[in-house]
Amino acid sequence: MAIGVKVLKRPVAQTSYLRATLKGMALTLSHLLRPKVTMQYPEEKSSTDWTISPRWRGTHRMLTDEQGRAKCVACGLCPQICPANCIKLVPGEDEEGNRYPLIYEIDEFRCIFCGYCQEVCPEEAIHVGVHYENSECSRDRFVYDLERLCAQTHPVSTLWDPSDPSGE
Amino acid sequence: MTFFLVASIVKILVVFTVIMVGVALLTLAERRICAWIQDRLGPNRVGPEGLLQPAADGLKNLLKEETLPGQADRLLFVLAPALAFVPALLAIAVVPFGAPLPTPWGDVPLVVADLPVGFLYILAIGSLGVYGVVLAGWSSNNKYALLGGLRSSAQMISYEIALGMSTVAVLLLAGNVTLSDVVARQQQSLFTWNVFPLGLAYFIFTVAAFAETNRLPFDLPEAEAELIAGYHTEYSAMKFSMFYIAEYANMVTASALMATLFFGGWDIPFTHWDDAPPWTVAKTLATLGVFALKVCCFLFLYIWVRWTLPRFRYDQLMALGWKVMLPLALVYIALLATAIWVLHDRLGWTYDSRFALALCGLNVLLAIPLFFVLDRGHLIASSVAEGGA
């Protein structure tokens, strides 16, 4: 015996195939003439409808002081807090006793872009950036050294919404 | 004789080239219009506005690996794409596409072969197209492909009847099966375009032509949700491409037929300037342009419908073909033949606008109850039999 399925009676207007077909054709035709939503990506990276969020956490950037030196004082907080263990820091000290990083490398493949390094940094030196175009031809190129981190120019992430203090 | 041969060869080469380029552009048009309907832009990267996209696709298909299933019937497997492809191109040979072109050696009729049996030739060639699909399905030795091929044969045979029947009405009115005569008969005025006296025949023809070309909502042979890709599941690279080209060439042929049989062929409406000698190059070009425009309109209709309607279920397809289209076409021919007999033999009217408008009135009278019935939801059975609950 066939399985019984309860079929609801529908109003006549809803069972009309011709009207439904014509309605559908009119709908698709109207869509044909509507403005398109596609963004022409490489040429157009933001539009009035969409911009990348200022809280985006992308590849890192090290800020520098007026003399062009990295602001980092090699305190060691960022490798300490990093959950992915992707920051390699070897501290050095000059003759005046100022600490600076001898080696500062971030493996962007390991990084999970949590943004803790930026949050923990007392000098506001290391930041995650508002940036997403990171293609390279080899895996080695994704270990960013200090020089490369300082040379990045993209905007840095705000991490939380500035208009909402409770978020901090 | 030499002139005829040379002219024919030139026409064949030109028509073949135009169709192939047209098919290539049609694949692009399909993708772009589909994108626009879905509020996207579609492929616009290769060349200006994506015009070179078909060339890129063709190159890709040439360079891809040809696969041959181990259990396939080799000969038929290789033959099938050609069998699908050739009839699609052959059918266009008898379609007149412009006013005769005057040359220093005489007028050249703008039709590759002005066969006296033109329309019968199209029906004959049209039914050959199914061999490509069926053989592809069978020789692949793949159950999905086989099901696709079977469906295709059943569908094409079912709808071919309605297709042929609907055109009988055209032949009744033209009194001839030569397509250039069919065109000539429609040139008197706008209302002698067959779509007015034979509106319902045009409706039947269009629906049947959609089914014949395996386009949505009738693309059961390649229903990807059920059959992966239907009859061309096992095909790759250029052989797959041949099926693709065949599908689009069929669309072009069907559109050209709709224009020729129902929309006056290359006739320019509202003027008799293009109909009569002396033939000039300007007339040829103008009529060519008008014909191309008409064909493009139907091609757009094809694409528009494809991206609007969902696919039929198989039983619905068969029910529509056998229980609606076929009786409809038969009754329509009977009524129309009677009407033509009354008007022509009893009342002694010659074929002109008055004759056409009288038939147009009859069509409207028939269309109202027909569409009333179709509109009540009786067209297609619901998914559960009556009393199933």
Side-chain angles (χ1 to χ4, degrees):
Chain A
M1 203 187 105
I3 299 171
V5 177
K6 190 176 175 189
V7 182
L8 295 178
K9 281 276 179 209
R10 284 188 295 167
V12 169
Q14 287 177 20
T15 58
S16 154
Y17 292 96
L18 278 177
R19 253 180 285 173
T21 303
L22 294 177
K23 234 193 222 167
M25 301 279 281
L27 183 74
T28 45
L29 192 68
S30 80
H31 271 277
L32 187 72
L33 305 170
R34 272 180 218 183
K36 307 304 169 212
V37 294
T38 309
M39 262 167 68
Q40 299 275 17
Y41 161 62
E43 294 91 21
E44 184 193 358
K45 290 182 180 170
S46 61
S47 69
T48 49
D49 296 335
W50 186 87
T51 49
I52 187 170
S53 164
R55 297 171 64 186
W56 176 275
R57 302 191 299 262
T59 44
H60 300 79
R61 180 176 167 196
M62 174 72 78
L63 296 193
T64 51
D65 59 12
E66 298 78 34
Q67 285 95 48
R69 295 171 305 189
K71 279 183 174 176
C72 177
V73 295
C75 63
L77 282 175
C78 49
Q80 186 65 38
I81 201 162
C82 180
N85 202 11
C86 68
I87 302 178
K88 180 182 179 190
L89 170 66
V90 176
E93 204 174 311
D94 65 10
E95 51 277 17
E96 294 160 29
N98 297 325
R99 286 166 65 93
Y100 66 97
L102 278 175
I103 300 174
Y104 191 96
E105 282 177 357
I106 298 185
D107 185 341
E108 301 289 352
F109 269 157
R110 249 179 184 228
C111 178
I112 58 167
F113 300 101
C114 59
Y116 283 3
C117 48
Q118 174 176 349
E119 261 184 75
V120 81
C121 183
E123 298 294 318
E124 297 195 344
I126 191 70
H127 285 80
V128 278
V130 184
H131 186 68
Y132 52 89
E133 288 155 316
N134 302 306
S135 66
E136 294 288 354
C137 292
S138 81
R139 298 180 68 88
D140 320 335
R141 294 279 296 152
F142 280 94
V143 180
Y144 286 19
D145 60 11
L146 186 61
E147 199 182 339
R148 184 134 174 242
L149 286 166
C150 291
Q152 304 288 327
T153 52
H154 54 252
V156 296
S157 172
T158 55
L159 283 188
W160 54 79
D161 186 352
S163 64
D164 175 21
S166 64
E168 187 180 352
Chain B
M1 192 62 201
T2 320
F3 173 62
F4 173 76
L5 280 180
V6 172
S8 294
I9 290 170
V10 170
K11 276 188 285 188
I12 289 169
L13 289 178
V14 169
V15 169
F16 179 75
T17 315
V18 168
I19 296 286
M20 293 312 283
V21 172
V23 163
L25 291 179
L26 192 57
T27 59
L28 176 69
E30 166 111 54
R31 291 173 65 185
R32 296 229 55 185
I33 291 173
C34 132
W36 291 334
I37 282 176
Q38 296 166 354
D39 294 344
R40 298 182 287 118
L41 288 170
N44 62 352
R45 292 282 148 176
V46 193
E49 287 298 307
L51 275 177
L52 294 178
Q53 183 71 44
D57 291 342
L59 193 66
K60 182 193 84 171
N61 271 327
L62 277 173
L63 296 176
K64 280 181 96 169
E65 185 191 357
E66 294 270 4
T67 55
L68 182 71
Q71 304 298 311
D73 184 313
R74 281 189 174 224
L75 177 66
L76 292 181
F77 188 80
V78 175
L79 197 62
L83 277 179
F85 176 71
V86 171
L89 286 179
L90 276 182
I92 204 86
V94 291
V95 176
F97 46 86
L101 176 71
T103 61
W105 306 276
D107 290 349
V108 181
L110 281 196
V111 44
V112 172
D114 196 10
L115 285 186
V117 291
F119 196 74
L120 302 180
Y121 169 83
I122 285 188
L123 286 182
I125 295 293
S127 20
L128 282 183
V130 73
Y131 278 99
V133 175
V134 173
L135 286 181
W138 185 78
S139 66
S140 299
N141 203 1
N142 170 316
K143 49 186 164 301
Y144 295 111
L146 181 62
L147 280 172
L150 285 176
R151 282 181 175 196
S152 164
S153 54
Q155 173 183 333
M156 286 210 178
I157 288 167
S158 311
Y159 281 83
E160 208 146 69
I161 301 170
L163 185 88
M165 290 289 179
S166 67
T167 50
V168 167
V170 176
L171 307 180
L172 279 178
L173 212 50
N176 204 324
V177 288
T178 315
L179 287 182
S180 26
D181 284 1
V182 173
V183 173
R185 282 288 285 221
Q186 299 180 62
Q187 285 172 341
Q188 296 178 29
S189 76
L190 181 64
F191 292 111
T192 51
W193 280 15
N194 282 336
V195 68
F196 292 103
L198 305 172
L200 280 181
Y202 169 65
F203 175 72
I204 300 169
F205 185 86
T206 309
V207 174
F210 272 78
E212 284 290 295
T213 46
N214 293 332
R215 290 283 294 186
L216 269 164
F218 299 105
D219 72 336
L220 275 292
E222 45 191 309
E224 54 281 270
E226 308 141 38
L227 295 184
I228 306 180
Y231 60 90
H232 58 59
T233 304
E234 294 285 1
Y235 283 88
S236 67
M238 214 48 213
K239 289 207 215 69
F240 165 74
S241 208
M242 297 271 271
F243 282 116
Y244 212 69
I245 295 170
E247 178 187 334
Y248 283 88
N250 272 322
M251 269 167 71
V252 174
T253 309
S255 302
L257 279 180
M258 284 181 210
T260 306
L261 294 174
F262 294 98
F263 282 82
W266 44 266
D267 179 41
I268 305 176
F270 309 116
T271 172
H272 284 293
W273 167 77
D274 59 309
D275 303 339
W279 305 115
T280 60
V281 176
K283 279 183 188 179
T284 305
L285 290 180
T287 49
L288 268 180
V290 168
F291 185 71
L293 190 69
K294 288 175 184 173
V295 172
C296 287
C297 285
F298 290 116
L299 289 174
F300 175 73
L301 179 72
Y302 262 103
I303 295 171
W304 181 18
V305 167
R306 168 162 181 190
W307 296 101
T308 303
L309 298 182
R311 185 181 298 126
F312 278 115
R313 220 170 47 216
Y314 193 62
D315 62 315
Q316 294 173 332
L317 173 95
M318 282 293 144
L320 182 70
W322 291 104
K323 293 184 188 165
V324 179
M325 303 300 286
L326 177 59
L328 186 64
L330 278 173
V331 170
Y332 183 69
I333 289 177
L335 288 175
L336 201 88
T338 317
I340 292 175
W341 174 72
V342 167
L343 291 179
H344 187 262
D345 294 350
R346 282 287 143 137
L347 302 177
W349 291 12
T350 51
Y351 189 66
D352 56 7
S353 298
R354 184 180 60 158
F355 197 117
L357 282 175
L359 288 181
C360 185
L362 175 72
N363 272 285
V364 173
L365 281 181
L366 289 176
I368 291 167
L370 172 69
F371 288 125
F372 186 79
V373 170
L374 292 190
D375 202 26
R376 295 298 105 178
H378 302 308
L379 173 58
I380 294 159
S382 67
S383 55
V384 178
E386 296 294 322

